Amino acid sequence: MPRLAPLSGFPEWLPEGRIVEKHVIDVFSRVAESHGFTGIETRAVEPISELARKGEIDKELYVLSRLQADPDEAESTDPSKQLGLHFDLTVPLARYVLEHAGHLLFPFKRYQVQKVWRGERPQDGRFREFYQADLDVIGDGALPAHYDAELPLVMAETLSALPLPGFEVRVNNRKVAEGFYRGLGFADHTEVLRIVDKLPKIGPEKVGELLVAETDATPEMVEKVLAMAQIRTGDLSFRDRVEELGVESALLSEGLDELAAVIAACAAERPGQVVADLSIARGLDYYTGTVYETFVVGHESLGSICSGGRYDTLATDGKRTYPGVGMSIGLSRLVSRLLTVPLATVTRSVPAAVLVAVTSEETRPQSAAVAAALRGRGIPVETAPTAAKFGKQIRYADRRGIPYVWFPDEGQVKDIRSGEQVDADASTWECPAEDLHPRVVPAAPTA
Amino acid sequence: MPRLAPLSGFPEWLPEGRIVEKHVIDVFSRVAESHGFTGIETRAVEPISELARKGEIDKELYVLSRLQADPDEAESTDPSKQLGLHFDLTVPLARYVLEHAGHLLFPFKRYQVQKVWRGERPQDGRFREFYQADLDVIGDGALPAHYDAELPLVMAETLSALPLPGFEVRVNNRKVAEGFYRGLGFADHTEVLRIVDKLPKIGPEKVGELLVAETDATPEMVEKVLAMAQIRTGDLSFRDRVEELGVESALLSEGLDELAAVIAACAAERPGQVVADLSIARGLDYYTGTVYETFVVGHESLGSICSGGRYDTLATDGKRTYPGVGMSIGLSRLVSRLLTVPLATVTRSVPAAVLVAVTSEETRPQSAAVAAALRGRGIPVETAPTAAKFGKQIRYADRRGIPYVWFPDEGQVKDIRSGEQVDADASTWECPAEDLHPRVVPAAPTA
């Protein structure tokens, strides 16, 4: 088997990295469950006809074929039978809700952590295979507005529990943007949205040029679009600043009311973590109200690590309509940043807190009995691989960061960090809580 | 969006089913970690050239292509660049070990739970997308024999913690079979292995006929092959029974020694759960010593739910060789059986233990504050979706199996199962441990 080069765009972590990734998944899942969200998984494949609905994305799809498919199978030509890998967890959720609606209870609060695939050209933080962690609430016919505040609060609670230097969930409302652009006199607000979405990449000057070149914008309209996009407040003062721009429309007022409700509820619970940002556009996604993006302080170039919004029509079967509001963490991108800066590290690379030494292969059962006694009390344990000299067994533990070595013959346990060795009984010895499992901790600042 | 038919072979669970599936994954992971196994994940794709190594499997591969691939990319023609979905977790492990060997510590004890894909025709319990849960120990150059006993013990501990009617890990050794067949005078022992592997499906008579038709077997040889395949013992008596058949070879003796060591170690720790079964062949897999299969008592028709064995050469880069021993649970197949019999059920379908009632939208913040206080003490909580009449809010909880409804105005909590309502303080109220999270419990026997 020849040595293989890593596949670009398909990240794979060493055991330490996987501990960090699993920690992030566990924190997200625990917080989501504590707020009553149910975990589901959907199959990795969907019919191409479903996946290709969202205009722009189809060029990024991975299509499946069987290496030796039967020629008489329709799989390869009929797009409703041809399968592709899902590129997000929203399209599958919509399909899952329609397919299982009769067995689900609404509002359906679900979380979902799975890998998704996109055939994009890989770049820093852009992968072809990556984890998304999604949180959505789906209503049957209607969905109360307070969920628009609950979602960023749950996500902020998750992100607060991770070793990040800080973050900001930025919220806007499509109705604010649409109402404002229409009130200003634009004929096609989606074109304006698409161009304003480029702000972080190309800056206000270029956005202004594009608006003039590609829309019916006058210089005054450009000025007001850019002025509104600069409004970012942690409190409700965004409202006054919009009103100062002198644009009026019913839709704008409705959007400002909705945005104010979200910001007021979030500011009460998590001041400073959720702010109104009137530049947030979310490109061509089909959101109809609240939209979210999230940036890590000092890592804004990473792009949004947690985005989403409200869909009035997440799914519909023609008779019933299911509105939804959701947010999705780009989990692999976040983990990749945690590992490469690094922002996070682990206290050891293996689960075992104790290595039970083995004096000879004949007495291995005695070592195994000590290990079983410790394990039965919730302490992860390895038994030494060979009856090597104790010095070698201690090195085995040391290289893995296993803090304790147990000597069954002596009935003693050694903390190999301090060298302290004490009498111990496997049925009563207490492993210090901080040593019980590998812990994810903030990385020490590098020079 | 039209209503879609489920995709055959791509199972998807309702929330209750996912709770059972996650429980099985969690039990497996917890037991594996308690024995010092480190969790890893590998990418879902491998080059076709790697996946197609194992002869027979290539017809089942799913190959990826991009819907709109650049024609100048080599992806679609070069099999070392063309990607397929992995069909097991062993081929990826071998590649991972070679690729990252310089960063891993050996023996490398790893567990891995991921979906795998096979383009087979779906049948009962045979899926096209399914979870495997793998446990392997990989050595660098050499791997001590005691791991051959550790693996079935860890798997038996996992299976014992699940709501199964009972199970049996059956162990054999390739050297026993090969030594016996060669000692009997067979020229090609792999042909015999391949035919004996069909025993559970076609029975001894047909196996005998195939041996005569397709190998150089005499009637006496057939008789002895079938006699050996009938030996199944929970203790070391299998050895005498093999010796009674009067076949001798050095390889047979070596295999019997290895098998005896595994059975002796397992019988000491888990009597009756791990037995010697000299019919276990493991088809065409490239095992070189110990082999395992596992059957659920009363569900033998399901086939083996946990199989594996020892490879002398899991991976090699020409210079270094990495022997391994591993077992893999067909987790989706097992979960599917738990859900459809059913053998397992859940105490509720949502994580929340408490629903905090909402008296009016104006007082929603007070309800949210109670919810936050409970959540801060580790109790999963939902806040009511609307300020409906309390009767409706109680029905919301009841339909989801949420056991408690909290009334913030009254400062009371109601156990909606008993109807008992008591004064309570969110900063001190204790949720009974059995109500804290949904629990997976054995299903009541159906009539």
Side-chain angles (χ1 to χ4, degrees):
Chain A
M1 210 180 285
R3 199 168 277 275
L4 293 159
L7 273 180
S8 175
F10 293 88
E12 210 167 56
W13 315 124
L14 289 170
E16 298 86 332
R18 172 59 186 162
I19 291 173
V20 173
E21 180 177 75
K22 188 158 187 293
H23 174 74
V24 175
I25 292 172
D26 287 347
V27 166
F28 171 77
S29 305
R30 194 179 342 113
V31 171
E33 292 188 358
S34 81
H35 287 264
F37 288 79
T38 298
I40 66 162
E41 291 206 344
T42 55
R43 63 193 191 219
V45 303
E46 299 291 341
I48 295 291
S49 55
E50 289 301 302
L51 293 172
R53 284 176 174 271
K54 269 192 173 179
E56 262 210 330
I57 200 99
D58 62 346
K59 70 175 177 302
E60 304 167 358
L61 284 185
Y62 278 116
V63 184
L64 298 189
S65 55
R66 294 200 295 141
L67 193 56
Q68 300 187 3
D70 304 342
D72 59 330
E73 287 186 53
E75 287 184 342
S76 48
T77 50
D78 178 346
S80 72
K81 291 195 173 152
Q82 206 181 4
L83 300 176
L85 293 173
H86 55 209
F87 57 80
D88 73 4
L89 302 177
T90 305
V91 172
L93 173 64
R95 196 260 315 146
Y96 181 94
V97 165
L98 285 183
E99 190 172 321
H100 305 291
H103 302 279
L104 301 175
L105 293 165
F106 295 93
F108 178 50
K109 302 175 75 174
R110 87 87 175 78
Y111 75 91
Q112 186 169 355
V113 186
Q114 277 181 261
K115 293 226 173 102
V116 303
W117 293 267
R118 295 182 188 178
E120 291 175 352
R121 207 163 284 279
Q123 301 167 28
D124 178 37
R126 291 255 175 209
F127 300 121
R128 295 185 144 188
E129 169 175 315
F130 56 99
Y131 266 116
Q132 283 196 335
D134 278 35
L135 200 65
D136 286 83
V137 186
I138 313 299
D140 179 1
L143 184 70
H146 62 82
Y147 289 116
D148 292 38
E150 179 170 349
L151 281 180
L153 285 171
V154 177
M155 285 302 198
E157 187 176 334
T158 297
L159 296 172
S160 296
L162 301 178
L164 295 172
F167 64 89
E168 203 171 62
V169 183
R170 300 183 190 161
V171 190
N172 196 4
N173 191 300
R174 273 287 164 86
K175 295 172 188 171
V176 171
E178 186 180 341
F180 189 84
Y181 301 153
R182 288 195 175 179
L184 262 176
F186 280 102
D188 182 356
H189 72 277
T190 57
E191 264 303 284
V192 186
L193 262 181
R194 189 181 60 77
I195 294 167
V196 171
D197 196 34
K198 299 179 196 284
L199 253 179
K201 276 194 192 142
I202 64 176
E205 198 170 333
K206 286 253 163 67
V207 164
E209 288 168 15
L210 280 179
L211 283 171
V212 169
E214 301 181 7
T215 75
D216 48 350
T218 64
E220 197 210 348
M221 283 155 77
V222 168
E223 196 186 318
K224 295 215 169 177
V225 167
L226 292 175
M228 190 182 71
Q230 281 179 346
I231 298 174
R232 192 193 300 174
T233 70
D235 57 19
L236 301 181
S237 61
F238 67 87
R239 180 155 215 155
D240 293 341
R241 293 187 49 196
V242 173
E243 281 162 5
E244 281 163 18
L245 297 174
V247 177
E248 281 184 25
S249 89
L251 192 64
L252 173 60
S253 297
E254 186 183 329
L256 289 172
D257 287 345
E258 289 183 12
L259 183 56
V262 171
I263 297 300
C266 291
E269 287 201 39
R270 299 198 154 264
Q273 291 186 338
V274 182
V275 305
D277 181 340
L278 274 58
S279 73
I280 299 299
R282 295 302 305 143
L284 286 176
D285 291 324
Y286 297 135
Y287 298 112
T288 52
T290 308
V291 287
Y292 315 96
E293 293 194 346
T294 308
F295 296 87
V296 177
V297 173
H299 298 266
E300 285 79 2
S301 65
L302 190 58
S304 172
I305 53 132
C306 179
S307 312
R310 176 181 269 256
Y311 288 86
D312 277 344
T313 314
L314 175 81
T316 178
D317 60 7
K319 279 178 277 183
R320 293 159 82 183
T321 295
Y322 302 90
V325 57
M327 293 182 81
S328 174
I329 297 179
L331 196 138
S332 295
R333 189 190 296 188
L334 186 61
V335 168
S336 171
R337 185 58 63 109
L338 290 175
L339 295 175
T340 51
V341 172
L343 296 169
T345 186
V346 290
T347 53
R348 62 176 182 266
S349 68
V350 296
V354 179
L355 177 75
V356 180
V358 173
T359 311
S360 67
E361 283 306 320
E362 291 68 45
T363 61
R364 180 171 290 279
Q366 283 91 298
S367 296
V370 169
L374 292 168
R375 203 176 282 132
R377 297 176 48 244
I379 303 166
V381 190
E382 258 189 77
T383 309
T386 64
K389 286 185 179 158
F390 283 164
K392 197 173 168 194
Q393 297 192 37
I394 290 169
R395 269 202 305 286
Y396 176 95
D398 188 42
R399 291 179 68 193
R400 284 157 179 78
I402 300 174
Y404 300 96
V405 176
W406 195 287
F407 300 99
D409 290 356
E410 290 77 11
Q412 293 192 320
V413 65
K414 183 192 200 78
D415 182 333
I416 65 171
R417 297 161 299 189
S418 66
E420 189 189 19
Q421 186 164 333
V422 297
D423 290 344
D425 182 331
S427 64
T428 56
W429 181 74
E430 292 287 338
C431 179
E434 69 270 21
D435 290 333
L436 203 51
H437 300 288
R439 280 177 301 116
V440 173
V441 294
T446 46
Chain B
M1 210 179 285
R3 197 170 278 274
L4 291 160
L7 272 181
S8 174
F10 292 89
E12 212 168 56
W13 315 125
L14 289 170
E16 298 86 332
R18 172 59 185 163
I19 292 172
V20 173
E21 180 176 77
K22 188 157 187 293
H23 174 74
V24 175
I25 292 172
D26 288 347
V27 166
F28 170 77
S29 305
R30 194 177 343 114
V31 171
E33 291 187 358
S34 80
H35 287 264
F37 288 78
T38 297
I40 67 162
E41 290 206 344
T42 55
R43 64 192 190 218
V45 304
E46 299 291 339
I48 296 290
S49 55
E50 289 301 302
L51 293 173
R53 283 176 175 271
K54 268 194 176 179
E56 264 211 330
I57 200 95
D58 62 346
K59 70 174 177 304
E60 306 166 357
L61 283 184
Y62 278 115
V63 184
L64 298 189
S65 55
R66 293 200 298 141
L67 193 57
Q68 299 188 4
D70 304 344
D72 58 330
E73 287 186 52
E75 287 182 340
S76 48
T77 48
D78 179 346
S80 72
K81 290 196 174 151
Q82 206 181 1
L83 300 176
L85 294 174
H86 56 208
F87 58 82
D88 73 4
L89 303 177
T90 305
V91 172
L93 172 64
R95 196 262 315 146
Y96 181 94
V97 165
L98 284 183
E99 191 172 321
H100 305 292
H103 302 280
L104 301 176
L105 294 164
F106 295 91
F108 177 49
K109 300 176 77 174
R110 88 88 174 77
Y111 75 90
Q112 187 170 352
V113 185
Q114 278 181 262
K115 293 226 174 100
V116 303
W117 292 267
R118 296 182 188 178
E120 293 176 352
R121 204 164 285 279
Q123 301 167 28
D124 177 39
R126 291 256 175 210
F127 301 120
R128 291 184 148 189
E129 169 174 313
F130 56 99
Y131 266 116
Q132 285 197 333
D134 278 34
L135 198 66
D136 286 83
V137 185
I138 313 299
D140 179 0
L143 183 70
H146 61 82
Y147 289 116
D148 291 38
E150 179 171 350
L151 281 181
L153 285 170
V154 178
M155 285 301 198
E157 188 175 332
T158 295
L159 296 172
S160 295
L162 300 178
L164 295 172
F167 65 88
E168 203 171 63
V169 184
R170 300 181 191 163
V171 190
N172 196 4
N173 192 299
R174 273 289 163 85
K175 294 173 188 169
V176 171
E178 185 180 343
F180 189 82
Y181 301 152
R182 288 194 175 178
L184 263 176
F186 280 101
D188 182 356
H189 72 278
T190 57
E191 265 303 284
V192 186
L193 262 180
R194 188 181 61 78
I195 293 168
V196 170
D197 196 33
K198 298 180 195 285
L199 252 180
K201 275 192 191 145
I202 63 175
E205 198 172 333
K206 287 252 166 68
V207 163
E209 287 167 17
L210 281 178
L211 284 171
V212 169
E214 302 181 7
T215 74
D216 49 350
T218 63
E220 197 212 346
M221 284 156 76
V222 168
E223 195 186 319
K224 295 213 167 179
V225 167
L226 292 175
M228 189 181 75
Q230 282 180 345
I231 298 173
R232 192 194 299 173
T233 71
D235 57 19
L236 302 181
S237 61
F238 67 86
R239 181 156 214 155
D240 292 340
R241 293 188 47 196
V242 172
E243 281 163 5
E244 280 162 18
L245 297 174
V247 177
E248 282 186 20
S249 87
L251 192 63
L252 173 60
S253 297
E254 187 183 327
L256 290 172
D257 287 346
E258 289 183 13
L259 183 55
V262 171
I263 297 300
C266 290
E269 286 202 38
R270 298 198 155 261
Q273 292 186 338
V274 182
V275 304
D277 180 339
L278 274 57
S279 74
I280 300 300
R282 295 304 304 145
L284 286 175
D285 291 326
Y286 298 136
Y287 298 112
T288 51
T290 308
V291 287
Y292 315 94
E293 293 194 345
T294 308
F295 295 87
V296 178
V297 174
H299 298 266
E300 286 78 5
S301 66
L302 190 59
S304 173
I305 53 133
C306 179
S307 313
R310 178 180 268 254
Y311 288 84
D312 275 345
T313 314
L314 176 82
T316 178
D317 61 5
K319 278 178 277 181
R320 292 160 83 184
T321 296
Y322 302 91
V325 58
M327 293 181 82
S328 174
I329 296 178
L331 196 136
S332 295
R333 190 190 295 189
L334 186 61
V335 168
S336 172
R337 186 55 64 108
L338 289 175
L339 295 174
T340 51
V341 172
L343 294 168
T345 186
V346 290
T347 53
R348 63 177 181 264
S349 67
V350 297
V354 179
L355 177 75
V356 180
V358 174
T359 310
S360 68
E361 283 307 321
E362 292 66 46
T363 60
R364 180 172 288 279
Q366 284 90 298
S367 296
V370 169
L374 291 169
R375 204 176 282 131
R377 298 174 47 244
I379 303 168
V381 190
E382 259 190 74
T383 309
T386 65
K389 287 185 180 159
F390 282 165
K392 197 171 170 195
Q393 297 192 37
I394 290 169
R395 268 201 306 285
Y396 177 96
D398 189 41
R399 292 179 67 194
R400 285 158 178 77
I402 299 175
Y404 300 97
V405 176
W406 196 286
F407 300 100
D409 289 356
E410 289 77 12
Q412 293 191 320
V413 66
K414 183 193 203 74
D415 181 335
I416 65 171
R417 296 160 301 187
S418 66
E420 189 188 20
Q421 187 164 331
V422 297
D423 289 345
D425 182 330
S427 64
T428 56
W429 180 75
E430 291 289 337
C431 180
E434 69 272 20
D435 291 331
L436 203 51
H437 300 288
R439 280 178 300 116
V440 173
V441 294
T446 47

